[in-house]
Amino acid sequence: MSDEAIFSSLEIDTIGEIMNISMGSAATAASTLLDNKVNITTPIVKQVATADFEITQFTPAIAVDIRYVEGISGSNILILRKEDVRTILSQMMMTEIDEDFAIDEMAESAICELMNQMMGSSATVLSCFLGRTINISTPQTVPIDKLDEFKEEHFSGSDSIMTIEFTITIKDIMESRFVSVMDVNLAKEIIDVSLNFDSATMEEEIVAEPSPPQAMPQAPVAPTMDAPPPMQQPPAATPPPMADPGLAQQPPMMQPPDMAAQQAYGAYPQQQAPYPPQQYAPYPPQQYAPYPPQYPPQYAAQSPITVKDYDYNDFGGSSQLTPEQAGNIDLVMDVPVVVTVELGRTKRKIKEILEFGQGTIVELDKQAGSQVDVIVNGQLIAKGDVVVVDDNFSIRVTEILKTRDSLTML
């Protein structure tokens, strides 16, 4: 099946550009985890028949399945060389891994965590691009020992699949390629949403715009003839002599059907004669006088608000110290003290400590995101949050502890 059978050249370029942008964000997340610059570029997009799909250039290979569970639906399977995975894990765990390593529980956990961070960042960019929330499930490694069984399990109902091949580079360590394989239905959904997003937004805006007023030309004066009693002519008022009483029965706002009829309609200007200024006499200013008194609750002038400075308590200052006391304080102001920030603690037996090596993970007694302790000369005085200022770790103090409280927490 050819590319033109399902996707046009514009659609193929669209899916390639979208995945290139999202994978660029994934490379940024990988750079943080690997502590080294990572680039993912140069996508090559192909639509191939499922029966013709091969991974000879990636053998032996490791596959990771990422499923989209919100916003779009489908599965995106990343296939990497096993040798590349070994290099990435060595950099991630800061230890050398044998070439014939097996994907054990620890290695699988590390791979899935790396892919979770990368594809989670990719989904965030994809959300902004498509204009909808995109979420993924936890990545899972899938066996790919037998390609036919792999295709039967993941692409059994598809005649064609979409492959997007990328170049991945880790500075001074490796340069290789991996492939993203997805069902054509998922690729079609991403393309349709991205290409139709602007037009759909414009349609919503058009629907949201208020329709132009249609009743403006239909606002007749004729209803004033049947208006409430204030509109009625007082008994003493009579029409002017020039007014023809018969014309009072004609609709005052009726327009002639054409220009000729308008010229023949010579009496039209006199039709307003039955509506002399006396008609509006029932609207004297005093009729509106009762309304202002009905508004005082919300419109009455409020009493002025008096604002005064806050009277702060006097806690005492250096001005209250004697000269001798102030001099004593000056003596200790320049004494250096050691400020230590403690992330957490743990207890281990000596034999466990002797087993420590490069890459060993030591679990502390605090959860991720917990506040850290600020200790001055061995005395716990405060708690705070870890922040980054100019590429340096810093502490934002959130709580100052009393002396007794800090002693009990040590």
Side-chain angles (χ1 to χ4, degrees), residues 80-395:
L80 305 92
R81 293 186 177 95
K82 185 177 179 180
E83 176 62 23
D84 296 339
V85 173
R86 184 186 72 85
T87 303
I88 293 173
L89 290 180
S90 298
Q91 179 69 17
M92 184 177 179
M93 303 173 66
M94 294 184 296
T95 184
E96 188 66 25
I97 299 178
D98 297 335
E99 295 183 1
D100 57 347
F101 81 104
I103 302 298
D104 55 9
E105 183 178 355
M106 184 176 181
E108 181 178 357
S109 177
I111 294 171
C112 291
E113 179 59 25
L114 175 64
M115 291 301 169
N116 188 43
Q117 296 292 332
M118 292 177 59
M119 299 308 295
S121 179
S122 171
T124 301
V125 174
L126 198 59
S127 300
C128 299
F129 195 90
L130 300 182
R132 60 175 63 181
T133 302
I134 306 293
N135 283 323
I136 63 172
S137 63
T138 303
Q140 301 289 336
T141 58
V142 294
I144 197 171
D145 298 331
K146 297 182 179 180
L147 183 59
D148 292 338
E149 295 180 0
F150 171 79
K151 292 190 291 187
E152 180 67 22
E153 179 180 357
H154 296 278
F155 307 107
S156 59
S158 302
D159 295 332
S160 297
I161 56 178
M162 178 72 75
T163 65
I164 309 171
E165 192 172 336
F166 296 91
T167 297
I168 179 171
T169 303
I170 303 178
K171 185 178 180 182
D172 301 330
I173 296 178
M174 62 167 279
E175 180 177 355
S176 184
R177 297 190 67 82
F178 70 94
V179 64
S180 169
V181 185
M182 63 178 66
D183 186 88
V184 291
N185 293 327
L186 174 59
K188 191 71 174 177
E189 183 177 5
I190 295 175
I191 293 171
D192 290 343
V193 173
S194 61
L195 293 181
N196 297 330
F197 177 73
D198 292 337
S199 60
T201 304
M202 293 178 60
E203 291 178 0
E204 292 178 359
E205 292 178 354
I206 293 175
V207 173
E209 290 180 357
S211 58
Q214 301 294 334
M216 290 298 294
Q218 299 179 2
V221 183
T224 57
M225 299 178 62
D226 300 329
M231 293 293 296
Q232 295 179 358
Q233 183 75 16
T238 57
M242 68 178 66
D244 187 358
L247 294 178
Q249 305 299 325
Q250 299 294 333
M253 296 301 293
M254 181 179 298
Q255 299 295 331
D258 53 24
M259 186 61 69
Q262 183 176 1
Q263 295 176 356
Y265 201 71
Y268 176 71
Q270 285 78 15
Q271 286 184 3
Q272 297 185 3
Y275 302 92
Q278 294 92 325
Q279 273 192 322
Y280 301 93
Y283 293 92
Q286 58 269 24
Q287 289 186 351
Y288 298 93
Y291 289 93
Q294 300 177 6
Y295 292 91
Q298 53 267 40
Y299 295 104
Q302 299 181 358
S303 58
I305 299 175
T306 303
V307 180
K308 62 180 182 179
D309 295 335
Y310 183 78
D311 187 12
Y312 293 95
N313 294 328
D314 187 5
F315 295 102
S318 59
S319 59
Q320 299 178 353
L321 300 177
T322 65
E324 182 179 359
Q325 291 173 334
N328 292 338
I329 291 180
D330 291 338
L331 290 176
V332 299
M333 284 298 180
D334 294 331
V335 175
V337 294
V338 178
V339 179
T340 305
V341 176
E342 186 177 277
L343 178 63
R345 298 184 179 185
T346 187
K347 292 183 179 180
R348 290 289 186 269
K349 296 180 180 179
I350 293 179
K351 70 174 185 178
E352 295 176 337
I353 296 177
L354 293 176
E355 295 175 355
F356 283 0
Q358 187 176 10
T360 301
I361 297 176
V362 180
E363 184 177 357
L364 303 178
D365 59 354
K366 286 191 177 181
Q367 296 182 349
S370 299
Q371 292 183 329
V372 297
D373 297 332
V374 180
I375 301 172
V376 177
N377 278 6
Q379 177 70 43
L380 177 63
I381 66 167
K383 290 181 175 292
D385 296 329
V386 179
V387 296
V388 177
V389 178
D390 295 334
D391 295 332
N392 293 327
F393 284 114
S394 307
I395 301 298

Side-chain angles (χ1 to χ4, degrees), residues 12-25:
I12 291 178
D13 292 340
T14 299
I15 190 66
E17 183 62 24
I18 292 174
M19 297 306 295
N20 186 34
I21 295 174
S22 63
M23 279 299 176
S25 177

